[in-house]
Amino acid sequence: MDERIITIADHARSSEEAAVKTVLHSTDTSSTSVWVVRPGQQVRLHRHHHAGDVWVCLAGTGLYHPGPGVDVPLRAGQVAVAPKEACHGLTNTGDEDVVFVSVCPETSNYEPID
């Protein structure tokens, strides 16, 4: 049987170069990942054409970008919801890592936005 209880701390990884996404669980209908975004790093603004993306912020503070040039504070304990086709991204503006879990259908198209 597949693992159904996953300890995030066992899988969360960071890098000095860029934010790190680690897939925790993936099926043909969904994907769950943990992101670690170090201070000053960002998750590039992007959109998914076929599905939304839900981020559950577990640690840190940053600016969530629901669109180009739009900044909304995000902190531990909050959930950011991006409907399908909606832009979203994040910049860590705090002094500690931003850690969040992303839940998104595996089949969602990812398109970076410049």
Side-chain angles (χ1 to χ4, degrees):
M1 179 160 86
D2 290 337
E3 185 177 13
R4 294 180 64 186
I5 303 294
I6 301 167
T7 302
I8 293 167
D10 291 346
H11 301 278
R13 304 286 180 261
S14 65
S15 167
E16 293 297 323
E17 288 79 39
V20 177
K21 173 186 175 183
T22 304
V23 176
L24 300 173
H25 187 262
S26 185
T27 69
D28 60 340
T29 59
S30 69
S31 179
T32 303
S33 303
V34 60
W35 282 84
V36 179
V37 187
R38 305 225 20 169
Q41 293 179 344
Q42 64 180 359
V43 174
R44 186 176 180 185
L45 197 63
H46 65 281
R47 79 177 94 227
H48 305 273
H49 292 290
H50 299 283
D53 195 359
V54 176
W55 294 358
V56 180
C57 187
L58 305 174
T61 60
L63 292 175
Y64 179 77
H65 310 298
V70 181
D71 300 329
V72 177
L74 181 69
R75 67 180 186 284
Q78 293 183 311
V79 176
V81 179
K84 78 175 184 176
E85 297 287 345
C87 304
H88 55 292
L90 178 118
T91 302
N92 182 339
T93 56
D95 297 327
E96 64 178 281
D97 293 350
V98 170
V99 179
F100 68 91
V101 170
S102 167
V103 180
C104 184
E106 181 66 21
T107 57
S108 64
N109 273 350
Y110 169 90
E111 177 193 358
I113 299 170
D114 294 325

